[in-house]
Amino acid sequence: MSDHTGPGRPDHFGGGTKPAAGSVIWLLRLAVGVRGRLLTAVLLGSLASACGVALMATSAWLIARAAQHPPVLYLMVAIVAVRTFGLGRGVLRYAERLTSHDAAFRLLAGLRERLIAHLALIAPGGLQIWRRGDLLTRVGTDVDDVGDGYLRGLLPLAVSVVVGGGAVALTAAILPAAGLALAMALLLACVLAPLRSARHSARQETTIVDLRGRRGQLIGDLLDEMTDVTAGGLLGARLAQIDKLETHLRATSARSARTAGIASATAVLAMGAAVVSALLFGVPAVRSGHLAAVLLAVVVLTPLALTDTVQSVGVAAATLQRSAAAARRLADVLATPPVTTAPIHPKPLRHRTFGPTIALHDVSARWPGADHDAFTHLDLTLAPGKRVVILGPSGSGKSTLLAVLLGFLPISSGRITVDGVDLGQLDAADARTLFAWCDQQPYLFDSTLAENIRLARPTAQDAQIAGTLESAGAGDWLRSLPLGLATPVGEHGRAVSGGQRQRIALARAFLANRPIVLADEPTAHLDAPTADAITALLMKPDPQRCTVLVTHREQDADLGDEIVRLEPTRPAARPAAPKAVPAVSPSDQLTR
């Protein structure tokens, strides 16, 4: 779980454990674009609840008047009204549900789209603040909680205000004293009790949201590390940790439910008190002749029709607190600054016959939250045809350097230029065409061999894919497959070996046909002969391509034209004197 609070948090998310009133403000600000639908839902919900109140009042009048045995024609209007209000309540409630859920789903879709788009801007450097399970909880459950703030928070509050005010006006018009008693009961049920509930549930709801984030983090970590955890005999301890957290979550949820239950019970008691008050004021008024006997039933039974409406207000207070806590977690994500800022007037990438030259000038970089740079004062030139080997122990900044080149991580100081133009001034789409990426743990989708390689270039034909597999040293393996390129690789690539997985990754990099290939420990989990073969293919001289290999294997230095050795927490060593770079023929034109 993260306690990170980034600067520049949007105002509409609020902060702290404020009462429900503060939650209403940020929900209203967040609802830009769906406010019309929400207002329509409030109108329909108010009409549906008003039909319920009118049905109770009309039924009470009808029963009391019928007891006096008047001519049946005197009752026809009331009979039709009862049917109308009964049908109207169901139809209007259905329409309110359709409208409110449509508005909520539109808002949640937009919020999720905004979150995912921002995650793409801050990935992967900014994602180091959170774990994957916690991020999944934020994008999933926390966004749903924000939606509940409208469906189970704002909507019941607005409906209770409208319908409660109308019921008070109706009762006061018949018997002012009973109207005043009903107003006091509604004040207790819809204002005082929910405020008390909000004050007591604020910390509980915040804890619930945070615990769910921790639960997602623990479960995600366990699934990622299941093989190692099981082999190490740590599964029981991990499950016990999750069970302890679940116990805490259940206890906190029970306390929150108890608080909401007390608010609902208070609402019921308040409506009961309004009924008793109506009797106390109404019976003397009937005896004195100031109130018609048939209207006494209306005054007494009307508060009962409000019970469901006021009960939902107590739940709304807790829901708003949970929505506020979830929104604060979403604001933490949205407040994280992007890795790079798009230039106002981007410059196009200069097209050269043999690809660009990228130069790092006195560059330093660190990961978010780190107290020192991973590497410092690095000078490096990446030119077509050059092969660069990055060596150094774990923690020396080798992978950090690749993250900087890929645009995943901003630099702390220095400059990166592409043909003399600052990298940050280039169009982002052009900058992404500079690099191909070969990871030590390439992800394979549960699809065919061809589709997994075609990710690098969606328009590639099967012949091109087969050619890149041949270049990656997998030609014999491909020819041995009965289904060829249509062979499924299995879930997470379980149907292929580690060496085959890396050759697929290498084929992806070759198929992308980018001027610079970045490889991060591509042979880290392979046996020595396979590692040697893949490294040799990756570092094969190519006058059109620059290759940057991050490795811990000293023997790989023999394959490089330039060697950079990095040391932990120290300035990076200057590049070794480059070896001769193969001449480039004008006929070898780079195409991207």
Side-chain angles (χ1 to χ4, degrees):
M1 183 184 64
S2 169
D3 294 324
H4 166 73
T5 303
R9 171 180 292 173
D11 293 339
H12 56 261
F13 282 106
T17 54
K18 296 182 179 180
S23 305
V24 171
I25 294 174
W26 62 253
L27 277 173
L28 291 175
R29 291 180 177 177
L30 190 63
V32 176
V34 296
R35 289 176 181 171
R37 287 180 171 82
L38 290 175
L39 289 175
T40 303
V42 170
L43 176 61
L44 293 171
S46 299
L47 290 175
S49 297
C51 282
V53 175
L55 177 62
M56 178 68 77
T58 307
S59 300
W61 184 93
L62 179 61
I63 293 171
R65 186 73 177 92
Q68 296 176 344
H69 303 288
V72 69
L73 291 177
Y74 288 12
L75 305 177
M76 290 305 298
V77 173
I79 292 171
V80 172
V82 166
R83 291 176 177 175
T84 301
F85 293 138
L87 292 173
R89 181 176 60 175
V91 171
L92 290 169
R93 184 64 66 192
Y94 181 73
E96 176 267 317
R97 289 288 190 268
L98 286 179
T99 306
S100 61
H101 282 73
D102 176 67
F105 289 150
R106 287 173 182 269
L107 188 145
L108 297 189
L111 183 56
R112 282 200 174 95
E113 181 181 354
R114 179 182 171 191
L115 278 170
I116 293 173
H118 192 74
L119 288 174
L121 294 177
I122 67 177
L127 300 186
Q128 303 298 315
I129 302 171
W130 306 283
R131 306 298 289 271
R132 285 194 296 176
D134 184 37
L135 269 180
L136 182 61
T137 302
R138 292 174 192 254
V139 176
T141 307
D142 288 348
V143 173
D144 290 339
D145 283 340
V146 172
D148 282 345
Y150 296 94
L151 299 177
R152 300 174 58 199
L154 281 184
L155 186 59
L157 283 176
V159 169
S160 66
V161 170
V162 175
V163 177
V168 169
L170 172 65
T171 306
I174 299 173
L175 185 62
L180 179 61
L182 179 58
M184 297 298 293
L186 288 174
L187 178 65
L188 174 62
C190 297
V191 179
L192 299 180
L195 286 178
R196 178 187 178 279
S197 173
R199 185 167 58 252
H200 283 77
S201 65
R203 187 177 299 276
Q204 296 165 357
E205 295 296 339
T206 301
T207 302
I208 289 172
V209 172
D210 289 342
L211 286 175
R212 287 189 315 201
R214 290 181 57 192
R215 179 181 62 187
Q217 172 186 329
L218 290 176
I219 293 175
D221 290 347
L222 178 59
L223 293 176
D224 288 341
E225 303 166 4
M226 180 63 75
T227 303
D228 295 336
V229 168
T230 304
L234 302 175
L235 182 59
R238 290 290 189 92
L239 292 177
Q241 187 179 10
I242 295 175
D243 183 66
K244 182 179 179 180
L245 187 145
E246 285 284 358
T247 302
H248 188 188
L249 180 57
R250 287 195 300 270
T252 307
S253 299
R255 288 195 296 270
S256 177
R258 191 179 305 117
T259 302
I262 292 173
S264 297
T266 302
V268 174
L269 292 175
M271 293 301 100
V275 171
V276 173
S277 299
L279 283 172
L280 293 177
F281 293 120
V283 171
V286 171
R287 288 177 177 176
S288 64
H290 291 90
L291 181 66
V294 293
L295 294 179
L296 177 61
V298 176
V299 171
V300 170
L301 294 181
T302 296
L304 294 181
L306 294 171
T307 302
D308 290 341
T309 301
V310 298
Q311 271 188 301
S312 63
V313 177
V315 177
T319 301
L320 287 174
Q321 290 295 346
R322 185 173 300 183
S323 297
R328 286 192 292 272
R329 284 166 48 84
L330 300 181
D332 288 342
V333 178
L334 294 174
T336 304
V339 173
T340 58
T341 303
I344 299 177
H345 301 291
K347 297 181 179 180
L349 185 64
R350 187 182 306 168
H351 292 284
R352 294 182 56 180
T353 305
F354 307 113
T357 297
I358 299 178
L360 284 70
H361 309 277
D362 199 34
V363 170
S364 303
R366 71 176 64 184
W367 288 98
D371 57 359
H372 62 276
D373 292 327
F375 65 85
T376 58
H377 307 299
L378 177 63
D379 292 329
L380 181 63
T381 300
L382 306 179
K386 182 181 290 188
R387 298 170 297 170
V388 179
V389 177
I390 311 294
L391 292 170
S394 178
S396 60
K398 303 187 302 297
S399 297
T400 305
L401 173 59
L402 298 191
V404 166
L405 291 173
L406 287 167
F408 291 167
L409 188 67
I411 60 177
S412 304
S413 61
R415 293 177 62 215
I416 300 179
T417 60
V418 180
D419 289 337
V421 179
D422 280 348
L423 181 61
Q425 296 179 2
L426 293 177
D427 181 84
D430 286 342
R432 284 192 292 268
T433 66
L434 296 175
F435 302 101
W437 171 246
C438 187
D439 194 11
Q440 60 179 290
Q441 293 180 327
Y443 189 88
L444 299 185
F445 293 89
D446 189 5
S447 184
T448 64
L449 178 61
E451 292 306 315
N452 271 280
I453 299 175
R454 192 176 277 117
L455 288 172
R457 191 194 300 174
T459 59
Q461 302 299 315
D462 286 352
Q464 293 174 298
I465 295 173
T468 58
L469 279 171
E470 190 76 40
S471 300
D476 293 340
W477 172 55
L478 175 63
R479 286 185 287 272
S480 70
L481 297 174
L483 298 179
L485 290 175
T487 302
V489 300
E491 184 179 6
H492 300 299
R494 291 193 176 97
V496 298
S497 67
Q500 292 163 351
R501 177 189 294 266
Q502 288 304 135
R503 292 183 190 278
I504 292 173
L506 194 58
R508 279 179 182 169
F510 290 161
L511 183 64
N513 196 24
R514 302 292 172 78
I516 300 173
V517 174
L518 304 178
D520 185 10
E521 301 277 8
T523 62
H525 307 293
L526 304 179
D527 59 87
T530 304
D532 291 339
I534 289 179
T535 303
L537 288 169
L538 178 66
M539 300 298 286
K540 183 179 179 180
D542 187 333
Q544 297 184 1
R545 183 174 64 231
C546 174
T547 302
V548 180
L549 172 65
V550 164
T551 181
H552 63 280
R553 305 186 339 147
E554 285 290 336
Q555 63 267 35
D556 291 340
D558 296 334
L559 300 176
D561 304 311
E562 193 165 314
I563 299 90
V564 176
R565 296 186 181 275
L566 300 178
E567 296 294 335
T569 68
R570 296 179 186 173
R574 299 302 182 193
K579 298 179 182 179
V581 178
V584 179
S585 169
S587 61
D588 297 326
Q589 183 175 357
L590 177 66
T591 58
R592 293 193 298 273

